[in-house]
Amino acid sequence: MMRLWSLLAMPFRGLLIRNKIIAVYIPLIIVPLFALGYFTSHLFTGSLIDKTKQNVRDESALILIRIDSMIHNSESSANIMMEDFNHIYENYSAAATPFEENQLRIQIQSQFGVDLLNFPDIDSAAFIDTHGRLYTSYFPSREKDKEVFTSGLLDKIDDLPGYGTNNWFPMQLRDYLVTDPDVPVLSIGKQIIDLKYGRSIGILIVNIKESAISNVYADMGESANERYMIIDTQGTVISSSDKSELLKPMQDERLRKLVLSRDSFSETLRTQTGKNLVTTTDYGKMGWKLINIVPQKAITADIRKNSRMTVLIGAVCLVFALLGAGILSRMIVQPLQKLAKAMRRVREAELNVSARIDTADEIGLLASVFNSMIARMKELLQRVEEEQRRKKEYELALIHAQIKPHFLYNTLDLIYLLNDLGRSREARDTTKSLA
């Protein structure tokens, strides 16, 4: 444990106290903040994508319900028109007079108006009877509508099952029997059979505009970041909010093959436009696939905003951490620097120093102890000096004490000697000087 602690502390040994504080203090704030932001973003991204998947599935189901209702309404309208034309043709013979033919045209036009009013999803309808007379729901009919006789469409319908069967034709762009030649239409071709005699009365064509289908998912809240399209069994786009894609193979070939090869799914895939959440839902009646594409960036836009906010908060915290570390280091380092300066002066044999005590913390305690130590040293030095002075005095006194007996002995001996030599006068003077 001690070895591990030594290894961890090794990079900090050469740092100043201020840098040590920053190196420890800042990561404790920044690392948890960014870790929290990362894991929160990761968890919320997964949760948000799962919720988006479920929402798209529910939305796709509602779209297909509305489209299915539109398809069923179109078939119902074709069946009702078949009954209406049966009633109309009961009253008119094949060899009708011009007046009767005009009356027939007026009645058919009126019937078209009533039927299309009851079924607003139908854009237009046309009826071609067995005598080659053409009637359209819009008035007047256009010269281009006569192309139906040479287009082969009527022959295709004749070859399809009769007796009231509704035969659907793929989405197509044509310039006859439509109100707007620039908009693709989905058509029902139906043989009208005389219910009494079982003979053919004519052929009915009912049209649904592609725009009516695309309006369904536009009404569901399709946005710039989310788009729907419908493809057929060949991967051809038959409905899309991007009209440039209509009646063309799906642009992303890899995605087209994946969608055609699998049943309904909802997954995050990398496509030509980047990483997207792709959800497909099958519409078995027509063999279509409804595709929803949502860029993952759009799903996680709010999370990215939160991430940017986290980074901003982290930057602010970093600034405050630096300021805090600076203030903390100033509060700790400056008193220590003053204390170290005072110690260096003491090391240079200058004892008339003291450390300022501005705080009551450990540094203040160190400064107080240092001041006490310096005061004690000064006191000890004074005592040593006093003792040294006294010692010298004692030594001088001892020397003096040693000198006096010898001096007295020598003087007495000198007086004795002077007397012995008869030099009494000098002995008298010496005795006086000694006294």
Side-chain angles (χ1 to χ4, degrees):
M1 186 66 182
M2 293 298 295
R3 181 176 178 80
L4 177 61
W5 177 254
S6 299
L7 291 174
L8 292 175
M10 187 175 295
F12 298 92
R13 290 175 181 172
L15 298 177
L16 298 175
I17 294 177
R18 180 177 183 276
N19 295 335
K20 287 179 181 179
I21 293 173
I22 293 175
V24 175
Y25 184 59
I26 292 180
L28 291 178
I29 296 176
I30 302 301
V31 172
L33 181 64
F34 280 98
L36 177 63
Y38 172 78
F39 287 111
T40 301
S41 174
H42 183 72
L43 292 174
F44 273 100
T45 297
S47 175
L48 192 57
I49 289 177
D50 290 339
K51 289 181 179 179
T52 304
K53 286 180 180 180
Q54 187 59 48
N55 291 338
V56 171
R57 289 193 193 101
D58 295 341
E59 195 174 83
S60 298
L62 290 175
I63 290 172
L64 289 182
I65 288 173
R66 291 188 60 182
I67 292 177
D68 186 64
S69 175
M70 185 183 299
I71 297 296
H72 281 291
N73 288 340
S74 301
E75 292 179 340
S76 299
S77 69
N79 293 333
I80 291 173
M81 289 180 188
M82 182 181 70
E83 295 180 4
D84 293 337
F85 289 142
N86 266 274
H87 293 309
I88 291 173
Y89 271 80
E90 284 180 357
N91 302 320
Y92 293 93
S93 62
T97 64
F99 176 76
E100 290 175 333
E101 184 175 339
N102 188 53
Q103 288 293 108
L104 176 62
R105 183 173 297 278
I106 292 173
Q107 191 168 356
I108 290 176
Q109 289 286 157
S110 299
Q111 192 61 54
F112 271 141
V114 173
D115 291 337
L116 265 62
L117 184 63
N118 293 328
F119 296 96
D121 294 328
I122 306 301
D123 173 65
S124 60
F127 178 67
I128 303 97
D129 66 11
T130 53
H131 301 290
R133 289 175 293 201
L134 174 63
Y135 306 96
T136 59
S137 60
Y138 49 89
F139 183 84
S141 59
R142 298 180 294 112
E143 187 64 26
K144 277 280 188 179
D145 293 337
K146 295 179 181 180
E147 292 183 9
V148 68
F149 297 106
T150 58
S151 65
L153 179 61
L154 299 180
D155 295 331
K156 289 180 182 179
I157 297 174
D158 282 332
D159 293 338
L160 293 173
Y163 301 104
T165 303
N166 294 310
N167 300 297
W168 285 96
F169 288 85
M171 189 77 71
Q172 58 183 307
L173 192 65
R174 63 172 189 260
D175 58 359
Y176 57 89
L177 301 185
V178 292
T179 57
D180 188 350
D182 296 326
V183 180
V185 292
L186 184 68
S187 302
I188 295 176
K190 183 183 185 72
Q191 295 184 35
I192 304 298
I193 306 300
D194 188 333
L195 299 178
K196 183 182 290 187
Y197 302 107
R199 62 175 181 266
S200 177
I201 297 175
I203 292 175
L204 174 66
I205 298 174
V206 177
N207 300 318
I208 304 174
K209 276 187 175 181
E210 183 279 330
S211 56
I213 297 175
S214 60
N215 285 339
V216 172
Y217 40 82
D219 293 341
M220 296 297 292
E222 186 188 41
S223 63
N225 295 324
E226 175 187 15
R227 67 190 187 99
Y228 281 94
M229 68 172 65
I230 299 175
I231 63 173
D232 60 15
T233 54
Q234 304 302 318
T236 301
V237 179
I238 63 170
S239 180
S240 173
S241 52
D242 185 357
K243 302 309 177 185
S244 64
E245 297 179 332
L246 290 176
L247 305 182
K248 297 177 183 178
M250 195 174 178
Q251 293 179 357
D252 193 329
E253 180 67 18
R254 179 174 170 272
L255 181 60
R256 183 179 71 87
K257 290 181 179 179
L258 179 64
V259 171
L260 292 177
S261 64
R262 295 179 59 181
D263 295 331
S264 300
F265 67 87
S266 182
E267 295 178 7
T268 302
L269 303 173
R270 187 167 293 280
T271 66
Q272 288 181 347
T273 57
K275 204 167 186 180
N276 298 298
L277 174 62
V278 180
T279 303
T280 66
T281 310
D282 294 333
Y283 181 47
K285 179 177 177 63
M286 303 296 290
W288 296 345
K289 287 182 179 290
L290 175 65
I291 303 173
N292 174 275
I293 300 176
V294 185
Q296 184 169 323
K297 289 183 179 179
I299 299 174
T300 58
D302 291 337
I303 294 178
R304 290 200 307 278
K305 289 181 182 178
N306 291 336
S307 298
R308 288 194 291 269
M309 184 62 68
T310 301
V311 172
L312 179 60
I313 293 173
V316 173
C317 289
L318 179 61
V319 172
F320 279 107
L322 290 172
L323 291 175
I327 294 172
L328 185 61
S329 65
R330 183 178 300 174
M331 294 172 61
I332 295 175
V333 173
Q334 283 189 352
L336 287 177
Q337 288 177 338
K338 292 178 180 179
L339 183 59
K341 185 178 179 180
M343 288 181 175
R344 284 194 295 269
R345 291 175 65 185
V346 171
R347 187 178 62 184
E348 294 171 358
E350 183 180 348
L351 296 181
N352 294 321
V353 296
S354 64
R356 288 182 59 187
I357 303 174
D358 297 326
T359 60
D361 55 9
E362 290 82 353
I363 298 176
L365 179 61
L366 285 175
S368 177
V369 170
F370 174 77
N371 291 336
S372 298
M373 181 183 67
I374 294 300
R376 182 63 176 167
M377 288 176 62
K378 291 171 67 176
E379 181 182 347
L380 289 175
L381 287 174
Q382 289 176 356
R383 292 172 68 179
V384 168
E385 289 177 356
E386 182 67 22
E387 289 178 357
Q388 290 293 330
R389 185 180 62 78
R390 290 180 180 178
K391 182 178 179 183
K392 289 179 181 180
E393 290 178 354
Y394 292 155
E395 288 178 349
L396 289 174
L398 181 61
I399 292 173
H400 289 168
Q402 290 177 348
I403 290 175
K404 287 180 180 181
H406 290 285
F407 176 75
L408 179 62
Y409 174 78
N410 290 333
T411 303
L412 293 175
D413 189 55
L414 177 62
I415 293 171
Y416 174 79
L417 181 62
L418 290 173
N419 288 322
D420 190 44
L421 293 175
R423 298 167 61 180
S424 57
R425 188 177 181 82
E426 294 180 354
R428 185 191 59 186
D429 294 336
T430 301
T431 303
K432 186 178 180 180
S433 296
L434 176 63

